[in-house]
Amino acid sequence: QVQLVESGGGLVQAGGSLRLSCAASGSIFSNTVMGWYRQAPGKQRELVAAISGGGRTNYADDVKGRFTISRDNVKLGYLQMNSLKPEDTAVYYCNVKLVPGTSRYDYWGQGTQVTVSS
């Protein structure tokens, strides 16, 4: 069993910054992948960034250079969001993948709202 809780969302002006946190509990091992996804009104949920247990990262093209994903350990992760744009407005979700190559054993947090004003 895995539970995830996101925090740190809010309202900021364009050009500002937010730091999202994801706290995990349960049976999480060092080789699990933690990811951040977002879903904006009228859009499908999309991957923003991901980090492996070994620290390897990847980013969506439209956030690369502005966002940074990191982990203190396998149960505490962050998404630092800089130079925010109105297009970044969405509900952001933390995800932990327990088994590579399948989404069947993914776990999700409740989401945190990020709103960027013009």
Side-chain angles (χ1 to χ4, degrees):
Q1 304 232 110
V2 176
Q3 295 83 41
L4 305 176
V5 179
E6 304 100 332
S7 61
L11 173 64
V12 297
Q13 294 189 60
S17 297
L18 286 173
R19 179 178 166 92
L20 306 184
S21 299
C22 178
S25 61
S27 299
I28 300 175
F29 302 96
S30 61
N31 62 344
T32 60
V33 172
M34 179 177 284
W36 288 93
Y37 292 72
R38 66 186 179 189
Q39 187 164 20
K43 292 186 176 181
Q44 305 250 353
R45 186 177 297 184
E46 63 179 358
L47 176 67
V48 177
I51 185 168
S52 73
R56 194 178 303 275
T57 61
N58 63 68
Y59 297 90
D61 287 343
D62 58 352
V63 308
K64 196 168 187 177
R66 300 189 296 120
F67 292 8
T68 303
I69 189 170
S70 62
R71 271 174 141 169
D72 283 354
N73 51 61
V74 297
K75 293 188 175 183
L76 185 60
Y78 306 96
L79 184 68
Q80 179 67 45
M81 309 166 68
N82 297 329
S83 302
L84 283 162
K85 304 174 181 179
E87 306 92 272
D88 296 317
T89 296
V91 177
Y92 284 71
Y93 297 90
C94 182
N95 165 269
V96 167
K97 182 181 289 295
L98 298 186
V99 180
T102 179
S103 62
R104 180 146 64 177
Y105 303 103
D106 286 3
Y107 291 84
W108 297 88
Q110 83 289 347
T112 185
Q113 177 71 46
V114 171
T115 302
V116 184
S117 65
S118 300

